[in-house]
Amino acid sequence: MKAEPQFAFLDEGSKKEIRRATLKAVAIPGYQVPFASREMPMARGWGTGGLQLTCSLVGKDDVLKVIDQGADESVNAVSIKKLIRATTGIPVTERTEEASLIQSRHRIPEVPLTKDQILVLQVPMPEPLRKYEKKESVTKRLHAESEYSGAWLMLFEQIMKYGRTTTGADHPVLVNGRYVMAPSPIPRFDNPKMDHSEALILLGAGREKKIYAVPPYTEIRSLAFEDHPFEGEDFSGKSCRFCGATGVFLDELYIQETGMTEHQCNDTSHCADRLGRQEEKEVQHATI
Amino acid sequence: MGYVAVKGGTDAIEASIDRLKYERLKGGEQVEVSAILSSMRLLIDQVMSEASLYSPELAALAIKQAEGSMEEAVFLLRAHRSTLPRLYYSETVEPERMGVERRISASFKDIPGGQLLGATHDYTHRLIDFSLLEESEKKRKQWLDQYEEELSALEKATGDGTYPKVVEYLREEGLFETFEPDNTEPDDVTKNVFQFPASRSERLQILTRGQTGAITALGYASLRGYGQVHPTVGEVRMGQLPITVPAHGGDGEDDSYYIGSVRATEVESFVPMPTKGPDGKQELRFEIGYGICYGQNETKAIAMSILDQCLEHPESDAPSHDEEFVLLHVDTVESTGFISHLKMPHYVTFQSKLDSVRNTRKGGDGHES
């Protein structure tokens, strides 16, 4: 009854299947490849698509980083790292530069990724057209025919109603001039990081059973109109209260003691890195 | 104020897991796996059915680990399933060969072979039996010995435990359309993700591993009015199905190994449907809704038979006839997983939406407003 533990949890047959779907996804950028998603020891909706990609890709020489909404120590990131560590024994890191495999929920790290890295994004809702078409059989046809007027109309209606587009995270993008794709709910701020990314970006939706990809150096355009250009979240005039960073995605905090709103880096390892370097400088400065 | 959202996550999680273990152990008494196996038959059946993994021992262990939570126990088994290599497909199981433990028909009183009530809660009054509070080992043993003695006397008189199917009887009368057996290899939904429209084999697989409550609710909705299916239960049978796998290297069709049997519930529901007769006149004919699941779980199997019939008729507008609506929402691991993911932090996505909401409250960028 007691089974031998498997390297990276999944049996080898399953991994092979997932890698085959991944290769197809890389070959057709932005196209959602259906795959027979396995049940994982984590709940559906908690990153099982990303986790299956990670398990199918991870080898003994990999170094893994997992972030959840920007944080390395967030509940779910910790739980995923624990599982991969327990089943593979590979090292984990918080430093973006050190990782060969990065699994992330809803953020792309602030440090630019390189061609030696793979970014795996967890996807809750892979279908960008689902908001206006509930049937899978219909959205599949719409993609096949590049029939995206619904996606444009959605944005147009927002402009008519509110004077601007009101997408939050998951603002749809056009991949390689062909497929409209849900970039997973990364903030609009991160959309431009996908464009001509040096790293391979893989997106996995476990519950919806889809894998799709943005291969390196692929053109990614966020859907927008000429007279209403695409805009990321605005953090102008704001900086991190710890490391002072500007031009990064910031978390907003309400400080109870002062009743003031303050900001801090959302990418925690980037922030810690900057703080470390500042400290180093101070130390060096002090010894002189 | 510390950097709360960032550091300390690992320690907090460890503490939470310890707390969970404490909750399982603090009462001082534990149900052993063997006790679950011998006393929680129907719970085990339900867990195996929703997990689509037939192993009473593993199901009992999962129930112990999950503190009796259906959702968690099924989840454990499903995840365990993902670590196992798939070595064989069994040969086609013929339910006529079921070693029947219970078999009833709601359509006919006199069915060939007779009605066999077997073990069921159907005919009990649901009154709490307070005598179970003080059920002694001795009394149990006494009752068992006596019962088993009567049983062995009875069993000598009965046959091999197989019964003809009720539906055959009606088929002979021409009340059902006769179809050629469809021997297409079934599609395996656990190895290949299904596409819409789904094949019938895919539909049946999704339904049989569906959450009991979800299948029951949707079947009930159809029965009550959101659909057009009101069946008569032609036959419910529950018992042991023998499983065989083909022998490797064997060349003849007879080369197969018996690897054990699974207990299952099978239902065939009869649904009258209007059709056109040979002379173009409107007439009624029966169609069959099919339900089957691991273990004894008659409500689920009957509800499944209703949904099977519904999905054969996508022309109806009712949601129970819409295969995307039914098939994509009945899986317990998927539904409970996605509902529970709402407990995860949504700080970035919420910040992003907040940005949009604030911007619209500022009145847009002035182009149209």
Side-chain angles (χ1 to χ4, degrees):
Chain A
M1 192 160 79
K2 200 159 174 259
E4 286 294 305
Q6 264 296 120
F7 182 84
F9 184 74
L10 291 169
D11 75 281
E12 293 305 318
S14 300
K15 286 187 205 161
K16 206 187 274 180
E17 261 180 50
I18 295 165
R19 285 197 293 262
R20 224 175 275 148
T22 308
L23 285 176
K24 182 169 178 182
V26 172
I28 318 172
Y31 171 73
Q32 301 167 48
V33 182
F35 81 111
S37 179
R38 300 292 196 263
E39 283 86 357
M40 301 304 283
M42 278 168 32
R44 288 274 208 244
W46 291 62
T48 55
L51 185 59
Q52 286 177 81
L53 281 169
T54 300
C55 286
S56 76
L57 292 168
V58 71
K60 286 179 180 150
D61 304 326
D62 274 307
V63 179
L64 180 74
K65 172 184 165 81
V66 182
I67 36 177
D68 180 357
Q69 303 235 342
D72 290 90
E73 279 242 0
S74 178
V75 185
N76 207 42
V78 168
S79 145
I80 291 171
K81 277 187 279 197
K82 226 169 100 177
L83 180 74
I84 298 291
R85 265 257 294 266
T87 55
T88 65
I90 65 158
V92 295
T93 181
E94 295 196 357
R95 300 202 55 215
T96 305
E97 301 90 326
E98 285 172 7
S100 58
L101 198 55
I102 302 167
Q103 180 171 335
S104 168
R105 174 169 171 256
H106 312 353
R107 269 316 306 277
I108 297 178
E110 304 290 1
V111 178
L113 303 179
T114 70
K115 64 180 176 46
D116 300 318
Q117 295 177 308
I118 296 178
L119 175 67
V120 171
L121 288 171
Q122 303 169 195
V123 185
M125 301 285 199
E127 183 47 72
L129 314 182
R130 186 68 69 233
K131 286 189 192 86
Y132 62 88
E133 175 50 61
K134 67 177 178 357
K135 280 200 170 297
E136 172 75 14
S137 42
V138 176
T139 50
K140 239 183 124 55
R141 205 188 62 229
L142 294 176
H143 280 293
E145 294 170 349
S146 296
E147 171 42 56
Y148 291 131
S149 26
W152 291 103
L153 268 173
M154 216 163 50
L155 296 179
F156 179 71
E157 274 179 15
Q158 291 171 357
I159 293 169
M160 292 314 287
K161 271 193 202 156
Y162 305 109
R164 55 178 299 125
T165 58
T166 56
T167 51
D170 214 359
H171 184 100
V173 296
L174 185 67
V175 183
N176 198 28
R178 176 57 182 86
Y179 285 101
V180 166
M181 179 188 95
S184 85
I186 53 173
R188 299 188 302 284
F189 184 88
D190 283 348
N191 279 19
K193 293 182 191 164
M194 279 194 165
D195 186 31
H196 288 88
S197 157
E198 280 186 31
L200 168 63
I201 302 173
L202 298 175
L203 300 99
R207 188 180 44 80
E208 295 281 340
K209 306 179 181 66
K210 297 280 171 60
I211 286 172
Y212 52 107
V214 177
Y217 308 108
T218 305
E219 185 196 46
I220 297 286
R221 274 192 293 127
S222 300
L223 296 194
F225 297 101
E226 273 170 32
D227 53 344
H228 277 272
F230 173 77
E231 280 174 34
E233 292 78 3
D234 181 24
F235 297 106
S236 54
K238 288 160 192 152
S239 61
C240 173
R241 62 186 182 131
F242 294 117
C243 73
T246 54
V248 295
F249 193 90
L250 294 170
D251 284 343
E252 192 176 310
L253 288 105
Y254 175 76
I255 310 295
Q256 225 164 18
E257 291 90 342
T258 59
M260 301 270 283
T261 303
E262 288 193 19
H263 291 82
Q264 69 188 43
C265 280
N266 170 261
D267 183 336
T268 54
S269 76
H270 180 61
C271 187
D273 228 37
R274 280 175 54 89
L275 281 171
R277 259 182 280 140
Q278 282 170 15
E279 237 168 71
E280 229 170 84
K281 254 190 222 159
E282 278 165 28
V283 172
Q284 277 170 1
H285 201 71
T287 50
I288 291 168
Chain B
M1 167 147 172
Y3 213 175
V4 271
V6 183
K7 291 289 172 193
T10 313
D11 294 343
I13 294 163
E14 290 304 328
S16 162
I17 292 169
D18 282 344
R19 182 76 201 194
L20 180 68
K21 187 164 183 179
Y22 176 64
E23 289 293 334
R24 185 169 72 80
L25 298 178
K26 71 177 182 192
E29 275 184 88
Q30 272 298 298
V31 200
E32 293 312 322
V33 170
S34 57
I36 297 174
L37 264 174
S38 79
S39 63
M40 307 240 160
R41 176 177 63 94
L42 296 174
L43 179 61
I44 287 172
D45 280 355
Q46 204 171 322
V47 167
M48 291 193 302
S49 167
E50 295 183 16
S52 64
L53 182 69
Y54 197 91
S55 169
E57 292 82 10
L58 281 178
L61 178 58
I63 289 163
K64 178 179 174 177
Q65 184 182 339
E67 296 179 82
S69 157
M70 268 298 292
E71 150 183 355
E72 283 299 328
V74 170
F75 195 171
L76 287 167
L77 285 191
R78 283 275 190 96
H80 182 65
R81 215 176 168 279
S82 297
T83 68
L84 305 172
R86 322 271 177 97
L87 302 177
Y88 303 102
Y89 283 103
S90 77
E91 294 179 316
T92 308
V93 175
E94 300 290 350
E96 286 86 352
R97 293 181 56 208
M98 177 187 276
V100 171
E101 293 169 23
R102 166 170 162 77
R103 178 251 202 172
I104 53 157
S105 171
S107 309
F108 302 100
K109 202 195 273 178
D110 286 317
I111 47 175
Q115 314 240 8
L116 182 72
L117 302 190
T120 173
H121 288 273
D122 285 359
Y123 321 119
T124 65
H125 288 137
R126 270 67 164 205
L127 298 169
I128 297 248
D129 182 356
F130 290 98
S131 74
L132 294 184
L133 282 171
E134 290 149 3
E135 195 185 32
S136 75
E137 184 85 46
K138 195 175 146 223
K139 265 198 208 153
R140 277 201 296 254
K141 181 99 178 42
Q142 211 174 8
W143 190 92
L144 262 180
D145 288 345
Q146 195 192 339
Y147 184 79
E148 280 169 355
E149 199 175 307
E150 287 169 24
L151 203 63
S152 64
L154 270 172
E155 269 171 355
K156 279 183 193 125
T158 54
D160 66 347
T162 60
Y163 289 78
K165 298 289 280 287
V166 172
V167 66
E168 292 307 327
Y169 174 68
L170 286 179
R171 200 168 264 145
E172 277 163 27
E173 266 190 59
L175 290 168
F176 291 101
E177 215 173 312
T178 321
F179 294 95
E180 279 300 304
D182 178 1
N183 287 325
T184 329
E185 275 292 303
D187 305 298
D188 183 345
V189 293
T190 65
K191 295 282 275 182
N192 292 296
V193 64
F194 65 99
Q195 306 282 311
F196 294 107
S199 66
R200 183 144 182 264
S201 65
E202 289 168 333
R203 293 206 297 256
L204 293 174
Q205 284 168 69
I206 298 284
L207 292 175
T208 194
R209 71 209 301 258
Q211 189 180 36
T212 304
I215 299 287
T216 306
L218 293 181
Y220 169 55
S222 163
L223 188 61
R224 208 183 136 265
Y226 289 82
Q228 53 178 26
V229 172
H230 195 112
T232 306
V233 169
E235 182 172 358
V236 179
R237 52 166 60 198
M238 185 275 292
Q240 303 286 339
L241 288 173
I243 307 289
T244 56
V245 293
H248 270 306
D251 44 6
E253 277 180 19
D254 297 333
D255 280 334
S256 56
Y257 293 121
Y258 167 75
I259 57 166
S261 61
V262 299
R263 177 190 269 127
T265 306
E266 187 202 41
V267 171
E268 281 169 326
S269 293
F270 302 157
V271 188
M273 294 295 291
T275 55
K276 282 238 163 71
D279 52 355
K281 246 177 47 188
Q282 193 84 332
E283 54 181 49
L284 281 176
R285 197 189 277 278
F286 283 110
E287 289 189 359
I288 299 177
Y290 189 75
I292 190 164
C293 63
Y294 279 155
Q296 183 171 16
N297 191 342
E298 294 166 22
T299 309
K300 178 174 170 181
I302 295 169
M304 174 177 167
S305 76
I306 295 171
L307 291 177
D308 171 46
Q309 167 68 19
C310 286
L311 296 181
E312 285 289 310
H313 292 277
E315 67 275 7
S316 164
D317 287 337
S320 57
H321 291 253
D322 178 338
E323 62 174 12
E324 294 206 23
F325 182 80
V326 174
L327 300 182
L328 291 179
H329 301 116
V330 295
D331 189 83
T332 177
V333 172
E334 278 162 26
S335 60
T336 60
F338 204 47
I339 293 286
S340 76
H341 110 285
L342 296 173
K343 293 180 280 187
M344 291 173 78
H346 282 75
Y347 309 139
V348 169
T349 30
F350 189 69
Q351 179 79 48
S352 186
K353 196 74 224 172
L354 204 56
D355 177 82
S356 273
V357 170
R358 279 180 183 148
N359 276 323
T360 60
R361 291 168 70 98
K362 275 190 229 150
D365 57 7
H367 279 267
E368 268 78 22
S369 51

